[in-house]
Amino acid sequence: MSMFSVSGFAAEMINPISVHVLNLQTGVPTAGIKVELDRKKGNEWLKLAEGTTNAQGRISALYPTGQATQMGIYRVIFKTGDYYKKSGEPTFFPEIPVIFTLDKADQHYHIPLLLSQFGYSTYRGN
């Protein structure tokens, strides 16, 4: 399976997976976080796509364009260590994997991340 790169400006309405990162320390969106999307197949993870959060802290279309939505177990990995290293700040979590079940191919799955250097929170958004 080929890997696709996506931007934060792709069509949001037709893509089943989006992410958003907000900095809890500053209260503003977090631009420049690399995010990877993987799908579980057996005991392995297959990398499907990657992108970087835009100025609004979003990647509105993370699922590979042109591929039919498949139900299954997915994970998004927020590469927070790279972001904090560029900022010259320490962080306890160099990567934040969020594993979720995509169980309805006709629904949108939005994964927000509320981030600080030493903690985070996530949930299913809309």
Side-chain angles (χ1 to χ4, degrees), residues 49-86:
E50 60 186 3
T52 302
T53 57
N54 64 16
Q56 291 79 39
R58 297 179 182 273
I59 301 173
S60 60
L62 190 55
Y63 198 84
T65 305
Q67 286 192 22
T69 304
Q70 295 183 33
M71 292 183 289
I73 298 175
Y74 288 80
R75 74 177 171 194
V76 290
I77 302 172
F78 296 91
K79 309 287 186 161
T80 53
D82 294 340
Y83 169 79
Y84 280 113
K85 187 175 183 178
K86 286 180 188 175

Side-chain angles (χ1 to χ4, degrees), residues 6-20 35-40 45-46 48-51 58-65 67-78 98-112 123-126:
V6 295
S7 75
F9 296 103
E12 181 174 3
M13 299 308 290
I14 58 173
N15 196 284
I17 298 175
S18 62
V19 299
H20 188 199
V35 181
E36 178 180 318
L37 174 66
D38 303 329
R39 183 171 189 269
K40 192 167 190 177
W45 290 99
L46 302 174
L48 298 180
E50 60 186 3
R58 297 179 182 273
I59 301 173
S60 60
L62 190 55
Y63 198 84
T65 305
Q67 286 192 22
T69 304
Q70 295 183 33
M71 292 183 289
I73 298 175
Y74 288 80
R75 74 177 171 194
V76 290
I77 302 172
F78 296 91
V98 178
I99 299 171
F100 62 99
T101 302
L102 193 153
D103 57 359
K104 293 188 169 79
D106 63 342
Q107 289 190 4
H108 184 79
Y109 293 78
H110 182 65
I111 294 91
Y123 57 94
R124 180 174 178 188
N126 58 12

Side-chain angles (χ1 to χ4, degrees), residues 80-96:
T80 53
D82 294 340
Y83 169 79
Y84 280 113
K85 187 175 183 178
K86 286 180 188 175
S87 302
E89 300 177 82
T91 183
F92 187 69
F93 301 101
E95 292 186 344
I96 299 173

Side-chain angles (χ1 to χ4, degrees), residues 25-47:
Q25 292 169 279
T26 61
V28 298
T30 307
I33 299 270
K34 291 184 181 180
V35 181
E36 178 180 318
L37 174 66
D38 303 329
R39 183 171 189 269
K40 192 167 190 177
K41 186 172 183 181
N43 291 325
E44 296 184 14
W45 290 99
L46 302 174
K47 186 174 181 177

